[in-house]
């Protein structure tokens, strides 16, 4: 009972701590203030607290998970062989972010039985409502601090960046779409949808379209009872028409994306120059990587990560490290029994990849 109480209290506190430190980071970055960043300290505190709980309850978890994380740390050490010493700090910081995320995955998937779900839901609901208000304030008064982008439409409220807001709302959509029906859950789910639309992230737009298509498919199937080949063809045709219309609307009405489309093409406009970053990374890998880097990573050589999951995983951990990382995620991920949740998770997975 003690572990349940401690873990349930710490988890929402740490979530709020992360958001507060990220907002501070966002504020000083926008205003060009050179001062201490609390994001590192907050994550060190969280990691140490989770580590202590894990060690105390070591008998209740699978020891192999610790071995994989230890293996990845060894991979990082080997990955620094013959690398650019001028970028050691940058790459160490980036890899620490990967390991922090991996350790949080490990902790929650190992100790989810110790969590007070009702308390966590209340915390998430509070954050969703609060951030919606900040998004509205940012939208109405054009407050730079609450913007997702400085050059085009989008408001993410208290979240530090596009990716943080995107992941938060992707999984919030998944969560509230599968909670029991109630007025409160429907209200919060509505705020999640509206916030997702206002964030301005293409990933969220794609996922909302995916959810709408999935809902239409299920309703159509429920009404008809069964689907023939022509029904699938019609749904695919509607999906293609919607995607084409959406791209046309975004690329013609959004000045920034329209300029990117005209200057650098459709791929750069859709993927926000990730195609260019990937091409640059591939060139650098061919020029500077040695055997150790191919096996264990060579992040110090890469000027900017690609934000493409598999590519960045290879850059950071190499072939062997990437294999360990993916095996770890596969082993620790809980069994999902709901087909609806599985399909919605696949949608998020595709976006991440």
């Amino acid at each position: 009972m003690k572990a349940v109480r401690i873990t349930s209290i710490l988890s929402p506190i740490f979530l709020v701590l992360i958001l507060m430190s990220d907002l501070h980071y966002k504020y000083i970055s926008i205003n060009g203030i050179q001062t201490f960043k609390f994001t590192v300290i907050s994550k060190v505190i969280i990691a140490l607290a989770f580590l202590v709980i894990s060690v105390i309850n070591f008998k209740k978890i699978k020891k192999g998970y610790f071995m994989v994380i230890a293996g990845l740390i060894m991979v990082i050490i080997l990955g620094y062989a013959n690398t650019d010493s001028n970028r050691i700090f940058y790459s160490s910081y980036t890899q620490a972010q990967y390991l922090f995320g991996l350790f949080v995955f490990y902790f929650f998937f190992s100790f989810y039985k110790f969590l007070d779900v009702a308390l966590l839901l209340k915390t998430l609901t509070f954050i969703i409502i609060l951030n919606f208000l900040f998004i509205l304030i940012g939208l109405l008064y054009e407050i730079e601090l609450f913007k997702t982008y400085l050059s085009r439409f989008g408001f993410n409220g208290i979240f530090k960046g596009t990716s943080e807001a995107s992941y938060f709302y992707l999984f919030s959509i998944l969560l509230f779409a599968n909670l029991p029906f109630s007025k409160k859950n429907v209200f919060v789910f509505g705020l999640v949808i509206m916030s997702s639309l206002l964030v301005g992230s293409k990933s969220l737009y794609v996922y909302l379209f995916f959810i709408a298509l999935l809902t239409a498919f299920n309703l159509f199937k429920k009404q008809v009872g069964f689907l023939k080949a022509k029904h699938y063809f019609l749904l695919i045709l509607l999906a293609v028409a919607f995607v084409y219309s959406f791209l046309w609307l975004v690329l013609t009405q959004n000045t920034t994306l329209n300029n990117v489309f005209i200057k650098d093409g459709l791929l750069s406009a859709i993927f926000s120059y990730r195609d260019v970053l990937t091409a640059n990374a591939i060139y650098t890998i061919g020029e500077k990587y040695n055997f150790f880097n191919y096996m264990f990573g060579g992040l110090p050589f890469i000027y900017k990560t690609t934000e493409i999951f598999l590519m960045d995983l290879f850059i950071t951990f190499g072939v062997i490290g990437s294999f360990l990382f993916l095996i770890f995620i596969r082993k620790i991920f809980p069994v999902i029994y709901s087909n609806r949740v599985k399909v919605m998770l696949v949608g998020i997975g595709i976006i991440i990849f």
Side-chain angles (χ1 to χ4, degrees), residues 311-331:
M311 190 69 192
D312 284 346
L313 196 62
F314 169 72
I315 289 169
T316 308
F317 297 124
V319 173
I320 293 175
S322 297
F323 179 76
L324 286 173
F325 189 99
L326 293 172
I327 289 295
F328 179 80
I329 295 295
R330 172 66 183 87
K331 290 291 184 183

Side-chain angles (χ1 to χ4, degrees), residues 235-248:
L235 285 171
I236 292 171
L237 191 64
L238 288 172
V240 171
F242 180 87
V243 170
Y244 179 83
S245 302
F246 174 73
L247 285 175
W248 178 85

Side-chain angles (χ1 to χ4, degrees), residues 242-262:
F242 180 87
V243 170
Y244 179 83
S245 302
F246 174 73
L247 285 175
W248 178 85
L249 182 66
V250 170
L251 294 177
T252 55
Q253 299 303 311
N254 188 295
T255 305
T256 303
L257 289 178
N258 184 253
N259 290 336
V260 174
F261 172 61
I262 293 171

Side-chain angles (χ1 to χ4, degrees), residues 78-278:
L78 291 170
Y80 282 109
N82 302 315
T83 55
D84 187 350
S85 59
N86 294 324
R87 292 178 59 78
I88 292 295
F89 175 79
Y90 157 78
S91 56
S92 299
Y93 179 78
T94 304
Q95 285 170 326
Q97 299 276 53
Y98 269 94
L99 288 176
F100 175 77
L102 198 66
F103 188 66
V104 170
F105 258 94
Y106 147 78
F107 180 83
F108 281 103
F109 286 149
S110 296
F111 292 96
Y112 65 91
K113 293 180 181 179
F114 290 176
L115 296 173
D116 184 340
V117 176
L119 180 59
L120 278 175
L121 274 176
K122 287 178 182 177
T123 307
L124 283 174
T125 299
F126 170 75
I127 291 170
I128 288 166
I129 295 172
L130 181 68
N131 199 53
F132 179 71
L133 294 175
F134 281 122
I135 287 173
L136 279 184
I137 292 169
L139 177 65
L140 293 173
Y141 297 100
E142 281 290 315
I143 297 175
E144 196 173 85
L145 179 63
F146 301 139
K147 284 188 173 184
T148 310
Y149 313 98
L150 299 180
S151 58
R152 62 184 175 94
F153 174 80
F155 295 86
N156 59 7
I158 60 177
F159 288 101
K160 181 175 68 174
T162 315
S163 57
E164 287 86 355
S166 296
Y167 283 127
F168 178 83
Y169 285 112
L170 282 172
F171 285 102
S172 293
I173 291 168
L174 172 64
L175 173 64
F176 283 91
N178 290 282
L179 285 179
F181 181 85
S182 71
K183 289 182 179 179
K184 178 185 174 183
N185 289 340
V186 171
F187 171 72
V188 178
F189 185 52
L191 292 185
V192 170
I193 298 297
M194 286 189 285
S195 299
S196 300
L197 290 170
L198 293 172
V199 166
S201 163
K202 292 190 289 293
S203 297
L204 283 170
Y205 290 153
V206 168
Y207 194 62
L208 287 171
F209 166 67
F210 172 74
I211 296 301
L213 192 65
L214 181 64
T215 303
F217 175 82
N218 289 330
L219 288 173
F220 189 71
K221 187 177 180 181
K222 188 176 181 180
Q223 291 294 323
V224 176
F226 63 93
L227 294 178
K228 296 179 181 179
K230 63 180 182 180
H231 296 140
Y232 285 104
F233 177 76
L234 179 62
L235 285 171
I236 292 171
L237 191 64
L238 288 172
V240 171
F242 180 87
V243 170
Y244 179 83
S245 302
F246 174 73
L247 285 175
W248 178 85
L249 182 66
V250 170
L251 294 177
T252 55
Q253 299 303 311
N254 188 295
T255 305
T256 303
L257 289 178
N258 184 253
N259 290 336
V260 174
F261 172 61
I262 293 171
K263 182 182 176 183
D264 299 297
L266 183 62
L267 279 179
S268 292
I270 293 174
F271 294 107
S272 302
Y273 286 111
R274 287 178 178 85
D275 57 321
V276 176
L277 293 173
T278 301

